[in-house]
Amino acid sequence: MSQPSIDPDRLYASLAALGEIGAYDDPRTGLRGVNRLALTAADGAGRRHVVEQMKRLGLAVTVDRIGNVYARREGQRPELSPVMMGSHIDSVETAGRFDGCLGVLGGLEVIASLNQHGLRTLRPLVVAFFTDEEGSRFGTDMLGSAVATGRLTLEAAYALRDKRGLLLKDELSAIGFLGDSEELLAAPYAYLECHIEQGPVLRANGTDIGVVTGVQAISWHELGIVGKSAHAGTTPMGLRADPAVAAARIALRMREMATSGRYGDGMRTTMGSIIPRPGLVNVVPAEVVCSVDLRNPDDALMRRAEADLIEYYAEVETLENVKLSWRQTARTETVRFADVVQDRVEAAAKARGLSTERIVSGAGHDAQEMARLTQAGMVFVPGEYDGISHNPRELSTREQCANGVNVALDVLLSFANEEP
Ligand code: GLV
Ligand code: MN
Ligand code: MN
């Protein structure tokens, strides 16, 4: 079988077209961003757009009970387990065009190229997009793939609510993606995800392709800190119970944890959301709800960091005279991708004259859930502007995207033509 290549222009045009759905003009930067927060009307429109592309390519589309979408191209041997490519098309509220979309639209570009070359693989191929990978609306990341692979139950997922109290199941139904097929996925033969790195490493090193070795552990907490609302001008400092100061102490402690080296060089800590109520300039807030995001490539160090931070929450209650409650909203262990997938990604890149390096993913991905089911792995491509992501400036060039999808195509074909 001659080795086909994808069409870089068609791929880039397809990323641009999806990027117009949920697009907004960012007044601060003058850039055009994307907001397709999970299960909003924009996500629904993005989903319908992609499903239309899937059908246009002749794929058989199914939607499962958590809204994951699978598009299947039959193989010469339909009874064999398929090879799957996938990712997500939901986004954070301040996104660019590439996060997740490259994996899904890259998968469809692979199919388009195979169609064009008249190539049929031995095994069936499936291109998937999973529900709410970002987790920024309902609080749990990799939601759809976690349900599909049995880490989360359907019932637990349905019962999640967003900040406005809206129920995930109702929102899935409202956008027309509460499907009826079984959510527990039969193991595909292999799973491959092409994604932007979302960090500075590949671009800084001038590397074309990241061979992803695995994903680091992620731990998210939601904190509710209750103090005593008071007038900013009249209340003596000694009489205050200020939950904003408590949140600030925790944020500073988190940074100290990450920079101290006590939890390894890979520790990352972020308080990305801090919401004071009532949130007025001249009022000591009554309450602060804030988030904690901890990441570490070492499970034992992550557990120690979590325990130490939780201990510090109690200390802050005493120091600031506040009541603090917290809940775990997401937690994943480190994941190591299959050696065979890593090796094939590296070999495919080399065969195309592309430079590679092995890299641990700092971000969470659907591939880490799929790794429970099958031999799974990822192809990373570099990003411009220090690989900025979750931001309208997010940009991987036409060539960077095409390199990644061509490598994915080669690896996919290697698995898809493998006899049982
Ligand atoms: C997903 O994008 C994450 O937060 O890693
Ligand atoms: Mn992503
Ligand atoms: Mn993301």
Side-chain angles (χ1 to χ4, degrees):
M1 203 182 262
S2 69
Q3 198 75 316
S5 285
I6 62 113
D7 180 337
D9 290 330
R10 188 169 54 195
L11 172 65
Y12 221 55
S14 152
L15 285 160
L18 180 54
E20 280 307 305
I21 301 174
Y24 68 93
D25 292 310
D26 184 345
R28 279 176 306 130
T29 59
L31 293 166
R32 200 158 169 76
V34 174
N35 178 358
R36 281 195 309 274
L37 197 60
L39 313 189
T40 57
D43 184 27
R47 284 165 168 265
R48 283 189 293 280
H49 170 85
V50 173
V51 167
E52 200 181 299
Q53 311 303 311
M54 289 169 157
K55 291 186 172 159
R56 212 175 277 167
L57 289 167
L59 305 177
V61 178
T62 55
V63 182
D64 76 6
R65 293 192 290 175
I66 193 63
N68 295 327
V69 174
Y70 300 101
R72 179 179 169 108
R73 182 180 196 257
E74 216 39 274
Q76 292 163 24
R77 303 262 310 268
E79 76 284 7
L80 295 183
S81 54
V83 176
M84 187 180 285
M85 291 167 294
S87 197
H88 62 99
I89 60 163
D90 71 300
S91 82
V92 298
E93 285 169 286
T94 57
R97 296 178 164 180
F98 300 89
D99 178 358
C101 302
L102 179 61
V104 178
L105 299 178
L108 294 182
E109 174 54 36
V110 163
I111 301 284
S113 305
L114 295 179
N115 285 354
Q116 205 173 334
H117 289 82
L119 295 177
R120 183 145 309 270
T121 51
L122 191 67
R123 292 172 180 275
L125 301 177
V126 173
V127 179
F129 63 83
F130 297 101
T131 294
D132 195 4
E133 187 272 352
E134 294 291 0
S136 45
R137 179 169 178 201
F138 294 96
T140 297
D141 52 355
M142 281 80 72
L143 180 95
S145 49
V147 170
T149 55
R151 180 168 67 82
L152 272 182
T153 65
L154 186 64
E155 293 67 34
Y158 278 169
L160 292 170
R161 291 181 187 273
D162 72 0
K163 287 192 182 110
R164 290 190 294 155
L166 299 173
L167 204 55
L168 185 138
K169 186 177 185 187
D170 294 342
E171 295 298 278
L172 196 52
S173 174
I175 62 163
F177 276 86
L178 183 63
D180 55 12
S181 48
E182 166 65 40
E183 67 282 1
L184 285 173
L185 195 59
Y189 184 61
Y191 175 88
L192 193 65
E193 183 165 346
C194 180
H195 205 284
I196 55 171
E197 178 203 341
Q198 305 184 276
V201 176
L202 298 177
R203 182 66 173 79
N205 294 346
T207 305
D208 300 315
I209 294 292
V211 179
V212 188
T213 55
V215 183
Q216 63 183 348
I218 304 176
S219 180
W220 287 359
H221 297 174
E222 185 187 82
L223 272 46
I225 312 175
V226 178
K228 199 166 77 193
S229 191
H231 191 290
T234 61
T235 314
M237 299 309 284
L239 293 183
R240 296 187 184 200
D242 187 339
V245 176
R249 275 191 190 272
I250 293 166
L252 287 172
R253 170 59 66 101
M254 286 163 60
R255 186 180 64 175
E256 195 271 323
M257 285 171 69
T259 54
S260 67
R262 269 181 285 133
Y263 309 92
D265 293 340
M267 183 83 214
R268 305 260 189 279
T269 60
T270 307
M271 184 176 282
S273 171
I274 308 172
I275 305 169
R277 290 185 229 287
L280 301 170
V281 63
N282 53 1
V283 180
V284 176
E287 184 192 4
V288 167
V289 175
C290 58
S291 63
V292 165
D293 178 317
L294 309 178
R295 312 223 178 185
N296 201 305
D298 181 302
D299 286 314
L301 291 174
M302 172 62 112
R303 278 193 290 277
R304 194 190 309 163
E306 287 175 300
D308 289 353
L309 187 61
I310 290 162
E311 211 169 282
Y312 187 64
Y313 293 162
E315 212 176 297
V316 166
E317 280 193 301
T318 311
L319 285 169
E320 295 300 333
N321 193 25
V322 293
K323 276 274 155 251
L324 188 153
S325 58
W326 69 275
R327 66 188 182 95
Q328 184 100 50
T329 51
R331 178 68 166 90
T332 47
E333 300 269 303
T334 60
V335 172
R336 184 175 161 77
F337 289 135
D339 287 332
V340 61
V341 181
Q342 294 185 45
D343 292 346
R344 287 191 195 187
V345 169
E346 189 167 76
K350 293 231 157 85
R352 284 186 181 265
L354 300 169
S355 58
T356 64
E357 68 179 270
R358 304 249 167 176
I359 183 170
V360 179
S361 174
H365 297 290
D366 295 306
Q368 74 191 77
E369 306 296 324
M370 293 302 297
R372 259 192 305 283
L373 279 194
T374 187
Q375 41 191 357
M378 297 187 76
V379 180
F380 270 2
V381 302
E384 299 298 300
Y385 313 122
D386 294 329
I388 190 169
S389 183
H390 288 180
N391 184 288
R393 279 173 80 78
E394 180 182 279
L395 177 72
S396 291
T397 64
R398 193 187 73 116
E399 192 190 10
Q400 288 162 342
C401 291
N403 286 343
V405 177
N406 270 324
V407 168
L409 164 66
D410 298 346
V411 176
L412 176 99
L413 285 178
S414 78
F415 283 109
N417 288 318
E418 220 159 64
E419 298 278 350

